[in-house]
Amino acid sequence: MTFPLSAQSSLPDLLASIALLSALMLVGWITRRALKARADLPPQAARRWSANMRNALLLVAMVGLLMIWAPQLRTFALSLTAVAVAVVVATKELILCLSGSAFRTFNRAYTIGDIIEIGEYRGEVLDINLLASRLREIDRREDSIRPLKQTAVVPHSLLFSTPVRIVARAGSLPEHVFYLVFETKLNLFSRLEEIQSTACLAYDKSASRLSTEEPERAEAVAVSIKTTELGRQKLEFAFRSRLEDAATIENVIGSTVGSWVMSQYEEETAAET
């Protein structure tokens, strides 16, 4: 990379600068001699004239040097601008990550232990640094909190282009939802209370084995019944638990309720025959 002020092109400007400074120094010396020669001039007035002249000469020197070196300074400034633009372009993502970190801090968007969803990433925040957040990913099924084995590093630059959804704050029990679909002639709509009682008993059994905190509501498991597009009966189960316990509790509730439904269907079929 060549320096923009070459010796050959700057020689006339250098000579002009020396001539200007020499002339100004000569004018200043003559002025000081003239002031000292004025015996009738009060000392305070002499100092005032000397200071004013010195300031005026400095101003003339600055303006003169800027006019002499203006073309060279313009070239040098353009070179600096090009370098600055190149640096900004090369570090754009890094700057966005640092800005996103400041944005997260000032807005208190999330903290370690929160379960968040940002873009295609969904999981528990394990670590936060100046550039990115590390998440323990959870199941991508809607409303599921079953943890996965892999982790994801999410750059903070995404905070400027993607909204953050807080699934659960640190210290609270997030809600886990799963579904069971039955293709049976058994009328599950009329047995919703029995299904819920069976699900709550299964939850209590698994929660006591896992030492899981009980949710603060009357029913540990909320059960609702819907139908699929094909007309099948679809049971929805929702309960609160830690991420580590969600899969185990889901399996216990699912197997218990599924076994109960199949046993009811077999009893009803046997009674008909």
Side-chain angles (χ1 to χ4, degrees), residues 198-213:
T198 303
C200 289
L201 289 175
Y203 176 88
D204 293 339
K205 179 181 178 181
S206 58
S208 61
R209 187 171 70 243
L210 295 169
S211 298
T212 300
E213 298 179 24

Side-chain angles (χ1 to χ4, degrees), residues 36-263:
K36 289 181 180 179
R38 292 283 302 273
D40 59 336
L41 193 64
Q44 186 177 4
R47 287 195 298 269
R48 185 171 60 249
W49 275 99
S50 178
N52 291 338
M53 182 57 66
R54 183 180 65 250
N55 294 334
L57 292 176
L58 286 174
L59 180 61
V60 172
M62 292 177 59
V63 174
L65 290 175
L66 284 175
M67 294 180 65
I68 292 172
W69 292 95
Q72 301 284 11
L73 292 175
R74 188 180 302 111
T75 304
F76 184 65
L78 290 175
S79 300
L80 289 181
T81 302
V83 172
V85 170
V87 170
V88 170
V89 171
T91 59
K92 176 184 175 182
E93 283 298 322
L94 181 62
I95 294 173
L96 283 176
C97 288
L98 292 173
S99 302
S101 179
F103 174 80
R104 183 203 66 82
T105 302
F106 293 149
N107 289 277
R108 299 178 181 177
Y110 59 86
T111 187
I112 293 177
D114 289 352
I115 300 175
I116 66 170
E117 182 177 337
I118 174 170
E120 61 180 6
Y121 303 100
R122 189 166 181 261
E124 180 187 14
V125 182
L126 299 179
D127 186 34
I128 300 173
N129 56 42
L130 289 176
L131 300 179
S133 297
R134 185 163 60 91
L135 308 181
R136 175 172 62 168
E137 289 195 278
I138 59 177
D139 196 348
R140 291 181 174 83
R141 292 182 304 167
E142 185 179 2
D143 298 325
S144 172
I145 60 168
R146 294 183 64 165
L148 304 177
K149 293 182 179 180
Q150 65 265 28
T151 60
V153 178
V154 182
H156 289 160
S157 57
L158 285 180
L159 295 176
F160 291 111
S161 58
T162 306
V164 178
R165 187 169 74 91
I166 308 298
V167 178
R169 288 291 184 183
S172 63
L173 291 177
E175 186 176 66
H176 176 71
V177 179
F178 72 98
Y179 306 91
L180 291 179
V181 179
F182 295 96
E183 188 175 5
T184 175
K185 295 180 180 179
L186 190 66
N187 183 9
L188 300 181
F189 291 90
S190 61
R191 307 192 180 191
L192 186 59
E193 293 185 1
E194 297 177 68
I195 295 173
Q196 185 158 14
S197 299
T198 303
C200 289
L201 289 175
Y203 176 88
D204 293 339
K205 179 181 178 181
S206 58
S208 61
R209 187 171 70 243
L210 295 169
S211 298
T212 300
E213 298 179 24
E214 293 286 342
E216 296 180 357
R217 57 180 177 177
E219 297 293 346
V221 183
V223 183
S224 60
I225 187 168
K226 303 176 183 178
T227 57
T228 65
E229 295 179 355
L230 299 178
R232 297 172 181 172
Q233 299 177 91
K234 178 180 179 182
L235 294 177
E236 177 184 286
F237 302 88
F239 60 88
R240 295 186 179 275
S241 75
R242 299 179 302 175
L243 267 68
E244 295 81 3
D245 302 333
T248 302
I249 297 176
E250 176 184 332
N251 290 335
V252 173
I253 294 176
S255 59
T256 302
V257 173
S259 299
W260 183 86
V261 171
M262 296 308 297
S263 65

